[in-house]
Amino acid sequence: MRPDQTADFEEFVAASARSLRRTAFLLCGDWQRAEDATQDALVKLYVAWPRIRRRGAATAYAHRAVTTAVVDQARRPWRREVSTLTLPEGRRERSVDPVASTERRLAVLAALEELPDRRRACVVLRYFADLSVADTAVALGIDGGTVKSQTARALDQLRVSLAGTGLDLAMEDL
């Protein structure tokens, strides 16, 4: 890769690595697996960077690569172990009750884990990664209509799952 392309890639990674890692975590529920998936995706992105950079599809390609890496990891036999859930690292607001915040987070994560893979990917990419319907469709390799229907079904399922928790939950709680 040329030096100017390397600099562009480094800027992209600096700006989006955290978002990609968070997306991977929301898809798999484990920070270590999310980190591995993000690294795998960034390696693929680096190899394809000159081609992707010209088309301007780096973000969609990166999210698709992360989604694919998470699915590939789940297929590996040594990844079938069930890990314990660790609380995500992040900022803590002093005015927020950390116990209530943690309960909300765990409830949303548990509800996300109940979703089928494609529905979970649609919700995570649309609402947590803040991708458009078109970008989500490109990232998952499906039609925009499929993204809309899968997202609607996933949100219905999440509402049902979260209704019994007694917590005032919002998607921003993660």
Side-chain angles (χ1 to χ4, degrees):
M1 211 177 343
R2 295 189 326 249
D4 63 322
Q5 292 175 334
T6 302
D8 286 346
F9 179 76
E10 289 172 357
E11 287 176 24
F12 177 82
V13 170
S16 62
R18 183 179 174 130
S19 172
L20 293 173
R21 189 176 133 219
R22 183 172 182 245
T23 298
F25 171 75
L26 291 170
L27 290 170
C28 69
D30 181 270
W31 281 112
Q32 285 75 31
R33 285 184 54 207
E35 186 67 36
D36 290 345
T38 303
Q39 291 300 317
D40 291 347
L42 290 175
V43 167
K44 291 177 185 176
L45 184 66
Y46 181 81
V47 171
W49 186 253
R51 178 176 36 101
I52 294 166
R53 187 176 140 230
R54 277 180 293 199
R55 290 189 302 172
T59 302
Y61 184 92
H63 281 286
R64 183 173 187 165
V66 165
T67 303
T68 302
V70 169
V71 171
D72 288 347
Q73 284 180 349
R75 291 181 181 155
R76 294 178 186 153
W78 61 85
R79 294 289 186 191
R80 294 190 184 129
E81 298 176 14
V82 178
S83 63
T84 59
L85 182 64
T86 57
L87 296 178
E89 300 169 9
R91 64 188 163 109
R92 289 188 181 241
E93 298 176 17
R94 297 185 190 272
S95 63
V96 175
D97 178 15
V99 174
S101 178
T102 300
E103 288 175 357
R104 282 192 291 275
R105 237 178 237 170
L106 292 175
V108 171
L109 288 173
L112 280 172
E113 287 178 7
E114 293 175 9
L115 294 175
D117 291 341
R118 182 178 283 178
R119 289 182 186 175
R120 183 179 331 128
C122 285
V123 168
V124 167
L125 293 176
R126 288 281 294 125
Y127 295 102
F128 295 102
D130 201 27
L131 294 183
S132 67
V133 171
D135 289 341
T136 302
V138 169
L140 296 176
I142 57 178
D143 293 334
T146 304
V147 170
K148 291 177 188 178
S149 67
Q150 291 294 304
T151 302
R153 290 181 183 133
L155 291 176
D156 288 342
Q157 189 175 345
L158 285 173
R159 282 186 200 101
V160 169
S161 295
L162 298 174
T165 63
L167 298 171
D168 183 25
L169 296 171
M171 297 305 269
E172 299 86 36
D173 287 334
L174 276 179

